[in-house]
Each structure stands twice: as C-alpha cells, then as structure tokens.
Amino acid sequence: MSGGLVALLDDIATLAKATASSIDDVASSAVKVSAKAVGVVIDDTAVTPQYVSGLSPKRELPIIGKIAKASLINKLVVILPVALLLTWFAPQVLPFLLIAGGAYLCFEGGEKVLEALHWLPEHEDSAEGTAPQSAEDLEKSIVSSASRTDLILSSEIMLVSMDGLNAESMSMRVAILIAVAFFMTFFVYGIVAVLVRMDDFGLRLAKGATHPDDNHPGPADNIGRGIVRVMPKIFNAIGVVGTVAMLWVGGHLVIENLAKVGVGVFHNVVSTIEHALASGGGFLGWLVETACAAVFGIVLGSLITGVVVGVSLLFRRGRGH
C-alpha cells in the first residue's frame, strides 16, 4: 500500500515537473518570438495615447481598458483562428501575408517620415455633415477606431510571432501564440496606461508639494514639474523609435519572405553588404543588416505612399468633376 502511494506521489511529482517545464518552454518561446514584433509593439505604444488625448483624465484608463479588451479579442477570436487555419490548409500563403504585412509597415513608416519632412500634400478636412457627439458616443467612436487600427497591428504581431514557430508542434504553437496575445496586450496597454497618467501624476505632485513661498518650491514640486515638462518629449521619442522600428521590421519581413517565394535579389544584396562591412557577423553584422532593412523599408514605404497619395488625388479630382 505504501509502495503504491509512493509510486503515485512520484508520478504526480513527475507530471508536475513536466507541466512546469512545458509552461516555462511556452513562456520563454513567447518572449523570444514577441521580440521579433518589436517594431509593431513600439508603434502601438506610440499610437494608442493619441486616442485619449484631450479627454477627461477620469475617462483615460477606462477607455484604454476597453481598447485593450478589444485588442485581446482581435488576437484570440479573429486573428489566431484565421492564422492557424491558413497554417493547416494553406501554409504557402503565410510568406505572402508577411510580405503584405511588412509592406504595410513600410507604408506606415514611410508616410510618417514624409509627413515629418512636409513632403505630402495637406489633407483637406471638411466639417460639413458633422454633428456634436455625446460623451458616450465619442467614447464608442474612439474605441471603435482604435480597435480597427489594433486589428492591423495585432495581425502583424501574431503573424511575425508565428513566423518564428515553424519547428514547433501544433499544440505548442497554439499555446505560445495564446501566451503572446496575452503578453503583448498587457505589455502594450500597461505601458500606455502608465504613460498617459504620468503627466497627471506630475501635476498632482507639483500641486500637492508646492511650498507656501513660490520662489522656493520643494523637491517634490520640482519633480512634478519635471515630469510634466518631459512627458511630451518622451512621447515624441517613442514616436521616432516606433517609426524607425516599423521601417526596420517591415523591410526585414519583405526581404526575407520575398526570398522564400523565389525573389532573392534583395536578400542577396543585403547579404553582400553585410559580408563586406561586417564579415565577422555578431552585433556589427546585425546592425548592418538592420540598417539595410530600414533603408529598404523607407524606400518601399515612400514608393507605396506616393502611389496611395497619387491615387487619392486622382480620385478627389474625379469626384470634383
């Protein structure tokens, strides 16, 4: 009897170790494949605070919570099943989806660069036909717009992550992608929640710690004012880093997946440059490859932006006649 109990406990311990090992494998794999989607993640972090800009501070966190919930639904209910079905029944489609996704990232990054350089025509915004919105309708509109943008960005995150799981079993792939969905959502919107509240925290700190003599503010008051001053610069820096990361990741996706479908000319050029400038590989090799991918991304993104703007102008002129 005691021998059977010991054997049972031993089996339970073995099962627990195997389960813990599997969870650890899933977690480490999720972090590893998530790193490949860094460009999309940074851009998502940079874009989301814009949706709550100008709103009441009391409504910022609830709206971000609704956007995060919509993002998780996008990843788990919409994107993951479609991606898995394509993997099962049409795996040859995945490189083309990654090319399209990479091209979209290049387009987004290229458009931002051209806008910053003022090389794009000004948008003609029309106020006709717009009516005042209630606070509830405005929040619904914000969440709806943010969730549509998130659907594209989340698709990129999941597809890029899936691209690094070719050697995994299907069950492990599903577990890792579910972990990626939760990790990325909480990571991105957790950072966004902290960022959008930092300026309010700075204001409260400054007001709550103001010295009676305004000429001699206290240390906490200086910290609060410093936070308020630096937050716009932090958002600008996040935007710049996000744009660069989008161009790098987008260019890399297009180059690598074009090679997989038989168009290896760009991959060969990058490899030649990498070997010429960093024959030893390592960090320098990665840096050269990244720079080449970013240059390719901005060229491709600028070309796509030019085509989109040109078609848009022609469409407007056609409607004008």
Side-chain angles (χ1 to χ4, degrees):
M1 183 72 177
S2 60
L5 179 60
V6 171
L8 177 60
L9 292 175
D10 185 61
D11 289 342
I12 293 173
T14 302
L15 180 60
K17 289 179 182 178
T19 303
S21 178
S22 297
I23 293 173
D24 184 62
D25 289 342
V26 169
S28 60
S29 297
V31 173
K32 188 183 297 183
V33 298
S34 297
K36 299 178 69 175
V38 62
V40 192
V41 173
I42 295 174
D43 184 66
D44 210 354
T45 306
V47 167
T48 305
Q50 299 173 12
Y51 290 106
V52 295
S53 177
L55 296 180
S56 167
K58 293 181 180 180
R59 297 305 305 159
E60 289 176 344
L61 291 184
I63 291 175
I64 290 172
K66 291 179 181 180
I67 297 173
K69 181 181 177 181
S71 175
L72 198 57
I73 291 172
N74 283 340
K75 293 182 180 75
L76 295 177
V77 179
V78 180
I79 301 166
L80 182 57
V82 173
L84 290 175
L85 286 173
L86 287 173
T87 302
W88 287 331
F89 298 110
Q92 68 277 10
V93 175
L94 187 57
F96 293 100
L97 290 177
L98 289 167
I99 290 170
Y104 179 80
L105 287 178
C106 293
F107 162 65
E108 286 281 302
E111 185 180 39
K112 289 180 180 181
V113 171
L114 295 179
E115 283 180 349
L117 295 173
H118 303 289
W119 288 359
L120 291 180
E122 296 291 331
H123 294 287
E124 296 179 4
D125 296 326
S126 176
E128 295 181 3
T130 59
Q133 287 183 303
S134 65
E136 184 179 354
D137 289 339
L138 178 60
E139 288 191 12
K140 288 181 179 179
S141 175
I142 290 171
V143 173
S144 176
S145 175
S147 63
R148 286 195 300 270
T149 301
D150 176 84
L151 182 62
I152 297 171
L153 296 172
S154 292
S155 297
E156 297 301 319
I157 290 172
M158 298 300 282
L159 287 174
V160 171
S161 300
M162 180 177 284
D163 188 45
L165 299 175
N166 295 326
E168 304 291 344
S169 64
M170 185 55 67
S171 58
M172 184 61 109
R173 193 178 302 179
V174 172
I176 291 171
L177 289 174
I178 290 174
V180 167
F182 279 96
F183 172 72
M184 285 297 193
T185 302
F186 290 126
F187 179 77
V188 169
Y189 292 100
I191 291 177
V192 168
V194 171
L195 288 174
V196 299
R197 298 300 293 174
M198 282 301 293
D199 53 351
D200 296 318
F201 172 73
L203 284 173
R204 289 181 182 179
L205 195 63
K207 291 178 180 178
T210 301
H211 195 276
D213 183 359
D214 289 337
N215 293 324
H216 297 87
D221 185 42
N222 289 331
I223 293 173
R225 293 181 181 181
I227 290 173
V228 173
R229 283 196 302 268
V230 80
M231 284 312 297
K233 297 178 181 178
I234 290 177
F235 279 120
N236 289 336
I238 291 174
V240 171
V241 173
T243 300
V244 173
M246 286 177 73
L247 292 169
W248 154 47
V249 174
H252 178 77
L253 282 175
V254 174
I255 292 170
E256 290 297 315
N257 286 280
L258 279 176
K260 289 181 181 179
V261 298
V263 184
V265 57
F266 302 110
H267 183 273
N268 294 336
V269 170
V270 172
S271 297
T272 301
I273 295 173
E274 185 178 351
H275 288 308
L277 299 180
S279 57
F283 176 75
L284 184 58
W286 174 85
L287 194 62
V288 172
E289 188 274 336
T290 298
C292 291
V295 171
F296 177 88
I298 194 170
V299 171
L300 178 61
S302 299
L303 290 173
I304 297 174
T305 301
V307 171
V308 171
V309 170
V311 171
S312 177
L313 289 175
L314 289 175
F315 181 72
R316 286 182 196 171
R317 289 175 183 173
R319 290 183 61 185
H321 292 300

Coordinates of all heavy atoms in Angstrom, one line a residue, residues 78-98 159 162 170 173:
V78 N -10.3 36.5 -33.6 CA -10.2 36.8 -35.0 C -8.9 36.3 -35.7 O -9.0 35.5 -36.6 CB -10.4 38.3 -35.3 CG1 -10.4 38.6 -36.8 CG2 -11.7 38.8 -34.7
I79 N -7.8 36.8 -35.2 CA -6.6 36.6 -35.9 C -6.0 35.2 -35.7 O -5.6 34.5 -36.7 CB -5.5 37.6 -35.4 CG1 -6.0 39.1 -35.7 CG2 -4.2 37.4 -36.1 CD1 -5.2 40.1 -35.0
L80 N -6.0 34.7 -34.5 CA -5.4 33.4 -34.2 C -6.1 32.3 -35.0 O -5.4 31.5 -35.6 CB -5.4 33.1 -32.7 CG -4.8 31.8 -32.2 CD1 -3.3 31.7 -32.7 CD2 -4.8 31.7 -30.7
P81 N -7.4 32.2 -34.9 CA -8.1 31.1 -35.7 C -7.8 31.2 -37.2 O -7.5 30.1 -37.8 CB -9.6 31.3 -35.4 CG -9.6 32.0 -34.1 CD -8.4 32.9 -34.1
V82 N -7.9 32.4 -37.8 CA -7.6 32.5 -39.2 C -6.2 32.1 -39.5 O -5.9 31.4 -40.5 CB -7.9 34.0 -39.6 CG1 -7.4 34.2 -41.1 CG2 -9.3 34.3 -39.5
A83 N -5.2 32.6 -38.7 CA -3.8 32.2 -38.9 C -3.5 30.8 -38.8 O -2.8 30.2 -39.6 CB -2.9 33.0 -37.9
L84 N -4.2 30.1 -37.9 CA -4.0 28.7 -37.7 C -4.6 27.9 -38.9 O -4.0 26.9 -39.3 CB -4.6 28.2 -36.4 CG -3.8 28.7 -35.1 CD1 -4.6 28.3 -33.9 CD2 -2.4 28.1 -35.1
L85 N -5.8 28.3 -39.3 CA -6.4 27.7 -40.5 C -5.5 27.8 -41.7 O -5.4 26.8 -42.5 CB -7.8 28.3 -40.7 CG -8.9 27.9 -39.7 CD1 -10.2 28.7 -40.0 CD2 -9.2 26.4 -39.8
L86 N -4.9 28.9 -41.9 CA -4.0 29.1 -43.0 C -2.8 28.2 -42.9 O -2.3 27.6 -43.9 CB -3.6 30.6 -43.1 CG -4.7 31.5 -43.7 CD1 -4.2 33.0 -43.6 CD2 -5.0 31.2 -45.1
T87 N -2.3 28.1 -41.6 CA -1.2 27.2 -41.4 C -1.5 25.8 -41.7 O -0.6 25.0 -42.2 CB -0.7 27.4 -39.9 OG1 -0.4 28.7 -39.7 CG2 0.5 26.5 -39.7
W88 N -2.7 25.3 -41.3 CA -3.1 24.0 -41.6 C -3.4 23.7 -43.1 O -2.9 22.7 -43.6 CB -4.3 23.6 -40.8 CG -4.1 23.5 -39.3 CD1 -2.9 23.1 -38.7 CD2 -5.0 23.8 -38.3 NE1 -3.1 23.1 -37.3 CE2 -4.4 23.5 -37.0 CE3 -6.3 24.2 -38.2 CZ2 -5.0 23.7 -35.8 CZ3 -6.9 24.4 -37.0 CH2 -6.3 24.2 -35.8
F89 N -4.1 24.6 -43.7 CA -4.6 24.2 -45.0 C -3.9 25.0 -46.2 O -4.0 24.5 -47.3 CB -6.1 24.6 -45.1 CG -7.0 23.8 -44.1 CD1 -7.6 24.4 -43.1 CD2 -7.2 22.4 -44.3 CE1 -8.3 23.7 -42.2 CE2 -7.9 21.7 -43.4 CZ -8.5 22.3 -42.3
A90 N -3.2 26.1 -45.9 CA -2.5 26.8 -46.9 C -1.3 27.5 -46.4 O -1.2 28.7 -46.4 CB -3.5 27.9 -47.6
P91 N -0.3 26.7 -45.9 CA 0.9 27.3 -45.3 C 1.7 28.1 -46.3 O 2.5 29.0 -45.9 CB 1.7 26.0 -44.8 CG 1.2 24.9 -45.6 CD -0.3 25.2 -45.9
Q92 N 1.5 27.8 -47.6 CA 2.3 28.6 -48.6 C 1.8 30.0 -48.7 O 2.5 30.8 -49.3 CB 2.2 27.9 -50.0 CG 0.8 27.9 -50.6 CD -0.1 26.8 -50.1 OE1 0.2 26.1 -49.1 NE2 -1.3 26.6 -50.7
V93 N 0.7 30.3 -48.1 CA 0.1 31.7 -48.1 C 0.8 32.6 -47.1 O 0.9 33.8 -47.3 CB -1.4 31.7 -47.9 CG1 -2.0 33.1 -47.8 CG2 -2.1 30.9 -49.0
L94 N 1.4 32.0 -46.0 CA 1.9 32.8 -44.9 C 3.0 33.7 -45.4 O 3.0 34.9 -45.0 CB 2.5 31.8 -43.8 CG 3.0 32.5 -42.6 CD1 1.9 33.4 -41.9 CD2 3.5 31.5 -41.6
P95 N 4.0 33.3 -46.2 CA 5.0 34.3 -46.7 C 4.4 35.5 -47.4 O 4.9 36.6 -47.2 CB 5.9 33.5 -47.6 CG 5.8 32.1 -47.2 CD 4.3 32.0 -46.7
F96 N 3.4 35.3 -48.2 CA 2.7 36.4 -48.9 C 2.0 37.3 -47.9 O 2.0 38.5 -48.1 CB 1.8 35.8 -49.9 CG 2.4 35.1 -51.1 CD1 2.5 33.7 -51.1 CD2 3.0 35.8 -52.1 CE1 3.1 33.0 -52.1 CE2 3.6 35.1 -53.2 CZ 3.7 33.7 -53.1
L97 N 1.4 36.7 -46.9 CA 0.8 37.6 -45.8 C 1.8 38.4 -45.1 O 1.6 39.6 -44.8 CB 0.0 36.7 -44.8 CG -1.2 36.0 -45.3 CD1 -1.8 35.2 -44.2 CD2 -2.3 37.1 -45.8
L98 N 3.0 37.8 -44.8 CA 4.1 38.5 -44.2 C 4.7 39.6 -45.1 O 5.0 40.7 -44.6 CB 5.2 37.6 -43.7 CG 4.8 36.7 -42.6 CD1 5.8 35.5 -42.4 CD2 4.7 37.5 -41.3
L159 N 1.3 37.4 -36.8 CA 2.0 36.8 -38.0 C 3.5 36.7 -37.8 O 4.1 35.7 -38.2 CB 1.6 37.5 -39.2 CG 0.1 37.3 -39.7 CD1 -0.2 38.2 -40.9 CD2 -0.1 35.9 -40.1
M162 N 4.2 34.0 -35.3 CA 4.0 32.7 -35.9 C 5.1 32.3 -36.8 O 5.5 31.1 -36.9 CB 2.7 32.7 -36.6 CG 2.3 31.3 -37.3 SD 0.7 31.3 -38.1 CE -0.3 31.2 -36.6
M170 N 2.0 21.6 -33.3 CA 0.8 22.5 -33.5 C 0.3 22.9 -32.1 O -0.1 24.0 -31.9 CB -0.2 21.8 -34.3 CG -1.5 22.6 -34.5 SD -1.1 24.2 -35.3 CE -0.5 23.6 -36.9
R173 N 2.5 25.5 -30.7 CA 2.4 26.7 -31.4 C 1.2 27.5 -30.9 O 1.2 28.7 -30.7 CB 2.3 26.4 -32.9 CG 2.4 27.6 -33.8 CD 2.3 27.2 -35.3 NE 3.3 26.2 -35.6 CZ 3.4 25.7 -36.8 NH1 2.6 26.0 -37.8 NH2 4.4 24.8 -37.1

